[in-house]
């Protein structure tokens, strides 16, 4: 019950520079982390206050935060349970408060970036699915609707049960 949640990196204000144009905006990263923790608390029955959780958003590139919701939830869940994430999987998607995966922008560019980075599988929101993706032969594109499906596709567990959690969460010693 004495754990702390720390969010560092590009979390307060971002500056995006285009030739002749500078845009400053509030980052959504901190809010995205809070959203992920709320989902994990309610759907996985774990108390974030039992853990020291540190999420760092490295600087140097503008980021939106919500598109990383699926990735953050999977990384935090993996860290807390000890179940590794398949390192050939790329993930994108916003997480709703109820654990549903919501659509994000730039999906085609994100799939191409995953391909160039060597990913073998990309997990995307079901609402972002396009029929043209069915023709991809060099990368598997998996549309998902909720966090349970994300964990089934991204974590290195052979069989994930239908309900969450995949394993009982245990506090770090």
């Amino acid at each position: 019950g004495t754990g702390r949640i720390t969010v560092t990196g590009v979390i307060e204000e971002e500056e995006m520079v285009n030739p002749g144009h500078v845009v400053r905006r509030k980052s959504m990263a901190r809010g995205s982390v809070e959203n992920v923790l709320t989902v994990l608390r309610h759907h996985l029955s774990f108390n974030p206050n039992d853990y020291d959780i540190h999420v760092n958003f490295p600087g140097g590139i503008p980021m939106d935060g919500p598109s990383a919701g699926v990735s953050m939830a999977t990384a935090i869940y993996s860290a807390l349970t000890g179940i590794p994430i398949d390192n050939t999987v790329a993930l994108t998607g916003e997480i709703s408060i109820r654990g549903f995966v919501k659509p994000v922008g730039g999906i085609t560019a994100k799939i191409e970036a995953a391909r160039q980075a060597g990913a073998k599988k990309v997990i995307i929101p079901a609402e972002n699915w396009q029929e043209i993706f069915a023709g991809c032969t060099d990368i598997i594109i998996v549309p998902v609707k909720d966090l349970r499906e994300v964990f089934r596709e991204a974590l290195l567990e052979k069989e994930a049960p239908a309900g969450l959690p995949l394993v009982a969460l245990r506090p770090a010693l």
Side-chain angles (χ1 to χ4, degrees), residues 90-124:
L91 310 110
T92 189
E94 183 173 352
I95 298 290
S96 77
I97 278 297
R98 296 180 181 259
F100 295 110
V101 179
K102 305 309 291 174
V104 295
I107 200 72
T108 304
K110 290 173 182 175
I111 290 171
E112 183 55 31
R115 178 184 285 120
Q116 290 177 13
K120 305 235 184 297
K121 182 193 300 187
V122 181
I123 297 172
I124 67 168

Side-chain angles (χ1 to χ4, degrees), residues 25-77:
R25 69 179 182 150
K26 286 291 201 184
S27 173
M28 297 173 66
R30 182 177 296 281
S32 295
V33 171
E34 292 297 330
N35 184 53
V36 164
L37 292 174
T38 297
V39 169
L40 291 176
R41 181 183 299 115
H42 291 292
H43 295 281
L44 300 179
S45 302
F46 95 96
N47 182 358
N49 294 329
D50 290 340
Y51 304 90
D52 287 325
I53 299 172
H54 186 145
V55 179
N56 181 47
F57 291 90
I61 55 170
M63 62 188 62
D64 195 15
S67 290
V70 165
S71 299
M72 285 188 289
T74 306
I76 292 169
Y77 186 81

